[in-house]
């Protein structure tokens, strides 16, 4: 992540030019997020919600190593969004 927190403003034309690339990144993130949610739901059925909530990320990845590349993909996608000069606020909130 970038430490540069200054606000960048885009013209309408600049913003419109970024939309197609950002849409692709967000779609990729949504697919990865869906798979992660499905895996966590499966693990919650095995362990119970309370036990799942107590797991650290490290413990979670030990139990479900298949999630590691998905977490990496999400992290890389956030970096890509920031390289566009945008702030990622979450999949539900968008940019």
């Amino acid at each position: 992540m970038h430490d540069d927190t200054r606000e960048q403003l885009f013209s309408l034309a600049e913003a419109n030019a970024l939309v197609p690339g950002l849409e692709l990144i967000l779609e990729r993130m949504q697919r990865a997020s869906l798979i992660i949610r499905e895996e966590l739901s499966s693990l919650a059925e095995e362990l119970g919600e309370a036990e799942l909530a107590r797991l650290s990320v490290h413990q979670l990845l030990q139990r479900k190593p298949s999630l590691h590349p998905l977490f990496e993909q999400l992290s890389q996608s956030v970096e890509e969004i920031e390289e566009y000069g945008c702030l990622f606020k979450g999949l539900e909130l968008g940019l």
Side-chain angles (χ1 to χ4, degrees), residues 35-90:
I35 295 168
I36 290 169
R37 285 186 187 128
E38 290 170 353
E39 290 290 328
L40 292 179
S41 177
S42 155
L43 192 56
E45 288 178 18
E46 284 178 40
L47 302 175
E49 292 285 337
E51 184 63 28
L52 178 63
R54 284 191 282 271
L55 292 179
S56 69
V57 172
H58 179 73
Q59 292 169 323
L60 177 64
L61 291 174
Q62 282 182 321
R63 289 184 177 266
K64 291 280 188 180
S66 62
L67 293 178
H68 192 270
L70 295 168
F71 286 164
E72 284 293 322
Q73 181 181 347
L74 290 176
S75 178
Q76 289 173 354
S77 294
V78 170
E79 288 179 16
E80 287 179 56
I81 289 170
E82 291 174 345
E83 287 172 6
Y84 275 94
C86 301
L87 296 175
F88 179 73
K89 297 180 182 176

Side-chain angles (χ1 to χ4, degrees), residues 12-22 84:
L12 181 58
E14 290 170 330
N16 285 336
L18 295 176
V19 169
L22 291 170
Y84 275 94

